[in-house]
Amino acid sequence: MNFSRIFFIIFLFITPLVLCQETSLDSLKSKSYKKLKESIKTSKNDSIKTKYIQFYLKKAKKEKDTLEIIKGHRHMSLLYYPDSLSIKFADSLIFLSKEKHFRYTSFGHNIKGNISYEFGDFRNALNEYIIASELAKKYNNHFQYLTLKFNIGLLKNNLGERKEALDIFKDYLSYVEKIRDKNPKNYIRGLFAMADSYIYSQEIDTAEVYIKKGIHATLVHKDKYHYEHFVFLSGISNYFKKDYINAIDSLVKAKKTFSLNDFEQTRLSICNYYLGKSLYNLNKRKESLKYFKAVDSILQINNDVSIELIDSYNYLIADAKKNKNLKSQIRYINSFIKFDSILDINYKYIKSTLVKNYETPELIFEKERIITQLSKENKGSKSMIIVINSILCTLILLTTYIFRRNLIYKKRFKEIINRVSLENENTINNQLIKASSSSSSTGLPEELIKEILLALDKFEKSSKYLTKKYTLNTLAKELKTNSSYLSKVINVTKKMNFSNYLNNLKIDYAIKRLTKEKKFRSYTIKAIALESGFNNAQSFSVAFHTRTNLYPSYFIKELNTI
């Protein structure tokens, strides 16, 4: 075979293309910014697009046109998104536009916020979004403001505030849907957020409507990257429908794409988590552990944690315990505690920052807008302004109160879950150790206290308290002891009276079943009360609140978000 001839033929074909391309690029030096912008937008090749942008910047710098230099940096920040170079160009853009052209300052902070969000740094993302939002609002950049509100909605979604986030996404989607042919990526982004929010609100049928719309839009616009994101959501949707085979199929496909990008590590973790859960529910327990361990590996590097990802440690701890691997058990318990703490700190920071630096200023801004409008319509309507002021002040106070109350409730909820997850099976041994110290408090012999405690332990494990009505006397007779002795032992070792002791046993039973059995959570409060040994829903709710400082309805709602 004559290789020199083949090379010559290839050279003949390629040379005109290269020359044509170089000529085309060279000719753009004399073209207008509008023409260059069109070329940047229509170019499918990144290396050629880079050259177009470089021409754009070179032309702007040569002509000392600050606005066009800023636009050039904007193009560069989008080209390299979400790499570190993108941040560098965003910083330059902010610096150049801060004296003038403020709409681009807002854009620069938005880009930096988006990059932080992609890498799971939600704190920094929120701070950048708030700065950008204030600028967009100040200079009446409506679309930029709406986009930033959408981004803050994504953060609210991560905090579990699905309803509030969904309202923001609906507003955003309704706006971008009108211009979807002009800017399809924003439309696709809106569909993804809606589908994601509906999935975690357990409205699977509605979520799948948006998933189908998203898949259709990505196919029409040949957007393979976002197509895989809808495949990912389809996998999670199938998991919640208990279609574990199709869930695994979709998640494996999405995982291949996410594995290629460093900034997709969080979604990669979520893929691994739902793959692990799907396999676990198919009784492939050993295989599922591989994916829970993969979640742990990623979390140890990026610390980008969520409630669902922390759940992986429940499976890893249980497996280590089953195999009597104490080192792994301790390591996973420590990781559980560490990431739970990070989640709690991030939640408090982001929520308090939202209330203080975003939600409250938004209410004040809305108040001022209403006052201005009223002043224009009727300058004499001072009483109406006072009413509006009062209402909005009340709203601000109410928002702060609800935020603080939710923090307390979430902390209590986590404490209960941790107590159930990491429950010490040797509780009876701990109580027996204390028997000697209890002897002086009760005036009873140590051996008698131990005997009663062992009998109580057997009684607790039998669950007889659910079906039989016990008094102190009837239980004492059943345990073959004196009612006075039994009362003293319960008061001193359990730190409660007999009535509370029985109620707490029933509530602990209900908590364990609610935590482990999803079906049990779908019962009415009355049905759960009867199953747990109570006569009615009211007495159950009162006892539940006494034991946990939470109402059963809130506890069940939080369990369903895990």
Side-chain angles (χ1 to χ4, degrees):
M1 187 181 288
N2 191 334
F3 287 103
S4 60
R5 188 179 173 195
I6 291 170
F7 179 79
F8 179 71
I9 292 168
I10 292 171
F11 179 78
L12 285 176
F13 275 103
I14 290 175
T15 302
L17 292 172
V18 173
L19 288 172
C20 177
Q21 193 175 77
E22 286 179 354
T23 306
S24 172
L25 288 170
D26 191 57
S27 67
L28 285 172
K29 290 180 183 179
S30 59
K31 300 292 182 183
S32 67
Y33 291 114
K34 186 178 177 182
K35 180 69 178 174
L36 283 167
K37 190 177 177 181
E38 285 172 7
S39 300
I40 291 165
K41 189 176 178 181
T42 55
S43 177
K44 302 294 181 186
N45 185 301
D46 281 348
S47 62
I48 300 300
K49 185 182 281 191
T50 304
K51 288 180 181 178
Y52 285 142
I53 296 171
Q54 285 169 344
F55 278 133
Y56 195 111
L57 266 172
K58 190 175 179 182
K59 178 181 171 70
K61 286 176 181 178
K62 187 177 179 181
E63 295 175 5
K64 296 181 180 178
D65 189 329
T66 306
L67 179 58
E68 296 303 337
I69 293 170
I70 289 167
K71 288 180 181 178
H73 282 285
R74 178 183 180 275
H75 287 307
M76 278 294 194
S77 68
L78 290 172
L79 179 70
Y80 289 108
Y81 179 87
D83 293 338
S84 55
L85 267 176
S86 182
I87 296 175
K88 180 184 170 184
F89 284 109
D91 281 331
S92 298
L93 189 156
I94 291 166
F95 177 78
L96 290 167
S97 62
K98 65 183 179 181
E99 299 297 329
K100 204 177 177 183
H101 311 302
F102 303 105
R103 63 172 290 198
Y104 292 99
T105 315
S106 174
F107 179 86
H109 285 292
N110 187 27
I111 279 282
K112 290 180 74 177
N114 287 343
I115 294 168
S116 294
Y117 181 90
E118 290 291 354
F119 283 96
D121 185 357
F122 297 141
R123 285 186 178 203
N124 196 52
L126 178 60
N127 293 332
E128 294 289 349
Y129 289 152
I130 288 171
I131 294 167
S133 179
E134 285 302 309
L135 287 165
K137 189 162 56 181
K138 186 175 179 180
Y139 297 103
N140 296 316
N141 188 338
H142 179 66
F143 180 66
Q144 185 72 22
Y145 176 69
L146 196 64
T147 301
L148 286 154
K149 198 173 178 183
F150 173 86
N151 292 341
I152 288 170
L154 294 175
L155 288 171
K156 280 179 173 286
N157 221 20
N158 286 332
L159 293 179
E161 294 178 357
R162 310 283 177 191
K163 176 84 172 59
E164 286 182 38
L166 200 53
D167 290 340
I168 292 170
F169 299 153
K170 283 176 183 174
D171 287 344
Y172 179 81
L173 188 61
S174 125
Y175 184 88
V176 296
E177 199 164 11
K178 296 168 191 171
I179 53 167
R180 64 181 174 186
D181 293 330
K182 190 177 177 182
N183 200 333
K185 281 195 176 177
N186 286 329
Y187 173 63
I188 289 167
R189 195 170 174 236
L191 291 173
F192 181 88
M194 292 286 283
D196 180 68
S197 202
Y198 275 121
I199 282 174
Y200 286 102
S201 299
Q202 295 296 301
E203 296 182 50
I204 305 302
D205 290 342
T206 309
E208 292 196 333
V209 169
Y210 285 97
I211 290 171
K212 284 175 185 173
K213 283 184 178 180
I215 286 173
H216 176 73
T218 54
L219 290 172
V220 167
H221 296 286
K222 297 177 182 177
D223 187 343
K224 189 175 185 309
Y225 174 72
H226 284 104
Y227 171 82
E228 295 297 340
H229 283 68
F230 285 99
V231 171
F232 161 69
L233 284 185
S234 180
I236 299 174
S237 174
N238 283 325
Y239 166 79
F240 282 115
K241 289 196 302 183
K242 298 184 179 178
D243 183 359
Y244 302 122
I245 301 296
N246 281 321
I248 290 166
D249 181 59
S250 296
L251 290 165
V252 166
K253 287 175 184 172
K255 187 181 172 182
K256 286 177 184 175
T257 300
F258 297 154
S259 300
L260 301 174
N261 300 307
D262 288 341
F263 60 89
E264 292 285 20
Q265 293 303 295
T266 300
R267 290 194 183 100
L268 184 61
S269 290
I270 295 170
C271 263
N272 284 322
Y273 171 72
Y274 282 108
L275 281 166
K277 290 276 282 183
S278 298
L279 288 163
Y280 188 88
N281 288 324
L282 289 170
N283 289 318
K284 296 181 179 180
R285 306 288 165 89
K286 193 173 180 181
E287 199 176 336
S288 74
L289 289 169
K290 176 178 76 173
Y291 293 99
F292 294 130
K293 285 176 181 176
V295 172
D296 172 57
S297 298
I298 295 170
L299 285 179
Q300 297 298 341
I301 295 167
N302 67 7
N303 288 330
D304 181 12
V305 68
S306 64
I307 291 171
E308 58 193 343
L309 296 182
I310 284 182
D311 182 47
S312 301
Y313 289 104
N314 290 321
Y315 297 93
L316 295 171
I317 290 165
D319 179 67
K321 193 174 182 181
K322 181 183 173 184
N323 294 314
K324 297 180 180 177
N325 188 334
L326 296 178
K327 283 186 179 179
S328 291
Q329 199 175 339
I330 290 166
R331 187 173 82 78
Y332 290 135
I333 287 171
N334 285 340
S335 292
F336 180 99
I337 293 167
K338 169 190 166 185
F339 291 121
D340 184 61
S341 174
I342 289 172
L343 190 66
D344 193 46
I345 291 165
N346 283 344
Y347 176 87
K348 286 176 182 174
Y349 175 85
I350 292 170
K351 186 59 186 166
S352 63
T353 304
L354 271 171
V355 170
K356 183 181 174 184
N357 296 336
Y358 179 73
E359 290 174 354
T360 301
E362 281 290 297
L363 284 169
I364 293 167
F365 173 73
E366 185 64 15
K367 180 191 80 172
E368 289 170 352
R369 189 188 65 77
I370 293 168
I371 289 170
T372 304
Q373 188 178 333
L374 284 171
S375 297
K376 285 178 182 177
E377 290 174 0
N378 184 2
K379 290 181 180 180
S381 58
K382 290 183 180 178
S383 58
M384 183 61 76
I385 292 170
I386 291 167
V387 170
I388 295 292
N389 261 318
S390 301
I391 291 169
L392 286 165
C393 286
T394 304
L395 282 173
I396 291 167
L397 289 170
L398 187 62
T399 303
T400 307
Y401 166 75
I402 291 169
F403 161 63
R404 286 177 179 168
R405 188 194 64 183
N406 284 342
L407 279 183
I408 293 166
Y409 280 8
K410 282 190 179 290
K411 187 178 179 183
R412 287 174 188 166
F413 174 77
K414 285 179 185 176
E415 285 170 357
I416 295 165
I417 293 300
N418 289 344
R419 178 163 61 82
V420 173
S421 301
L422 306 173
E423 192 175 41
N424 187 349
E425 291 182 355
N426 296 317
T427 306
I428 183 62
N429 293 332
N430 295 336
Q431 290 180 11
L432 290 174
I433 290 166
K434 292 178 183 177
S436 58
S437 61
S438 302
S439 181
S440 58
S441 304
T442 58
L444 300 175
E446 184 181 337
E447 285 305 312
L448 177 59
I449 296 171
K450 285 183 179 179
E451 187 182 317
I452 292 171
L453 284 173
L454 286 168
L456 281 173
D457 184 57
K458 191 175 179 182
F459 165 70
E460 290 164 13
K461 287 175 180 173
S462 72
S463 299
K464 287 181 182 178
Y465 52 82
L466 296 173
T467 54
K468 188 176 174 183
K469 220 171 185 181
Y470 280 99
T471 64
L472 183 64
N473 287 329
T474 55
L475 182 59
K477 283 179 185 177
E478 189 172 302
L479 301 184
K480 297 177 183 177
T481 187
N482 181 294
S483 61
S484 176
Y485 295 165
L486 179 61
S487 178
K488 284 180 180 180
V489 170
I490 290 172
N491 284 336
V492 173
T493 62
K494 310 286 184 182
K495 309 292 183 189
M496 65 189 80
N497 62 31
F498 178 74
S499 175
N500 286 340
Y501 167 68
L502 273 184
N503 278 345
N504 285 354
L505 285 178
K506 294 173 185 178
I507 295 302
D508 286 349
Y509 167 84
I511 288 170
K512 285 174 186 173
R513 274 197 71 183
L514 287 168
T515 304
K516 293 175 182 176
E517 299 175 29
K518 192 172 181 180
K519 187 179 177 182
F520 193 51
R521 291 175 223 157
S522 65
Y523 289 13
T524 63
I525 298 296
K526 185 180 178 182
I528 294 169
L530 294 174
E531 286 276 321
S532 305
F534 288 89
N535 293 326
N536 53 62
Q538 187 179 359
S539 59
F540 170 70
S541 293
V542 170
F544 197 97
H545 191 270
T546 303
R547 176 71 166 149
T548 64
N549 277 326
L550 296 173
Y551 287 104
S553 54
Y554 177 86
F555 184 74
I556 292 165
K557 188 185 85 172
E558 287 298 301
L559 278 174
N560 285 331
T561 64
I562 296 177

